[in-house]
Amino acid sequence: AKSKAVVELRHLNDEQLQIIVEDDGLGLSSSQQKRVFERGRRLDEQVQGSGLGLGIVNELITVYGGDIELGTAQIGGLRVCMTLPAVTGT
C-alpha cells in the first residue's frame, strides 16, 4: 500500500465468510498474480521482506478448506479475497 488499506469482513451465509483486503499500491499484473504465491517470491525489491507472506496465507486458506483470489482493488492496488468456512460456536 502507498498510504491506505481497507479490510472488510462479510458473512456470506451460515457456512462461509469472506475477508477482503484492498490497498492503494501498485497492484499486480495477471502474470504476477500467478507467481506471487510461490514461497520466497518477491515482486517488489524496493521494500524489505522475505516473500513469504502471500505464500503462507495461501497455504493456511487451503488447509482450512477455503479459497483465495487476487484482483484489482477499487482504490487502485491489489485486492485479496479470501473465502473460508464459517466457524460456529456451540
Side-chain angles (χ1 to χ4, degrees):
K2 290 179 188 174
S3 63
K4 183 178 182 179
V6 177
V7 179
E8 181 180 354
L9 177 62
R10 295 179 181 170
H11 189 240
L12 299 179
N13 53 48
D14 289 343
E15 297 177 6
Q16 291 183 310
L17 62 88
Q18 218 170 47
I19 303 167
I20 300 168
V21 180
E22 295 187 328
D23 70 38
D24 65 348
L26 299 175
L28 298 174
S29 69
S30 58
S31 64
Q32 289 173 319
Q33 289 177 15
K34 293 175 186 169
R35 298 187 332 231
V36 76
F37 291 121
E38 298 170 13
R39 280 239 174 158
R41 171 69 70 179
R42 291 195 57 219
L43 300 178
D44 184 355
E45 299 291 333
Q46 304 300 316
V47 295
Q48 291 184 348
S50 59
L52 298 175
L54 283 175
I56 291 171
V57 169
N58 187 38
E59 287 182 27
L60 287 171
I61 296 289
T62 301
V63 164
Y64 284 99
D67 185 47
I68 186 168
E69 295 179 15
L70 302 178
T72 302
Q74 291 182 0
I75 57 176
L78 183 63
R79 179 180 197 268
V80 181
C81 180
M82 298 160 278
T83 304
L84 291 161
V87 177
T88 57
T90 55

